[in-house]
Amino acid sequence: MDTALRPAVPPLPAPVRRPAAPPDAAQDFVTRLRASASSLAAAAGADTAVVREVVPPARHRRSRCRVVLRFAGGGETDVTFLGPVSSAAAAPDRAFDLQIRAWLSCELGREGSWLVADDEAPDGVAVDVTAWSAAERSAEQPAPCAG
């Protein structure tokens, strides 16, 4: 028996099972918005969309989503969307991405009180989808889709 040539290898430790952690609402929010890129492109009539930035809502900040749309002719549109200040866990499921999709399917215009100054947006303007949704439902200031 030739055991002197074999190195001594300690046994591997037993696998440790981690307790099931509750899903992180903020990470779920980010993942869901990033995964919605193709539906956002379709809503805007674009060939592709890239979700460049997603910031989940919090008590002290608004939710934020920056989308770059690429069109057939080579054109590109970079749009920043702002949502409510709240908790990602408390927000209705898919509300922000549905609002973005609705705005994209209606109009990529640059007029309306829902366009707000935003230093972090590439062109200095962001779409406040919460204000846009309220305007869409309001008779006082119809949104672009209203007609």
Side-chain angles (χ1 to χ4, degrees):
M1 196 151 138
D2 195 5
T3 59
L5 299 177
R6 291 188 186 151
V9 178
L12 294 173
V16 176
R17 300 209 186 265
R18 294 183 181 181
D24 179 67
Q27 186 57 48
D28 183 49
F29 179 87
V30 169
T31 301
R32 188 175 64 245
L33 256 81
R34 290 202 182 277
S36 70
S38 61
S39 65
L40 297 178
D47 286 349
T48 62
V50 175
V51 177
R52 286 242 168 104
E53 174 190 20
V54 179
V55 177
R59 287 189 320 261
H60 62 284
R61 71 168 182 256
R62 302 183 76 181
S63 51
R64 169 183 212 81
C65 181
R66 182 175 163 210
V67 179
V68 178
L69 302 162
R70 294 190 178 113
F71 296 90
E76 201 173 270
T77 301
D78 195 333
V79 187
T80 300
F81 297 93
L82 300 175
V85 173
S86 65
S87 161
D93 190 41
R94 300 184 164 260
F96 191 39
D97 48 331
L98 290 176
Q99 287 178 322
I100 293 170
R101 197 173 316 144
W103 188 86
L104 289 170
S105 67
C106 289
E107 184 156 334
L108 291 170
R110 291 290 175 191
E111 293 182 18
S113 63
W114 48 88
L115 298 175
V116 296
D118 186 324
D119 293 337
E120 295 180 44
D123 60 357
V125 176
V127 177
D128 182 339
V129 292
T130 305
W132 177 79
S133 293
E136 185 178 48
R137 290 186 300 269
S138 168
E140 298 173 21
Q141 182 181 3
C145 285

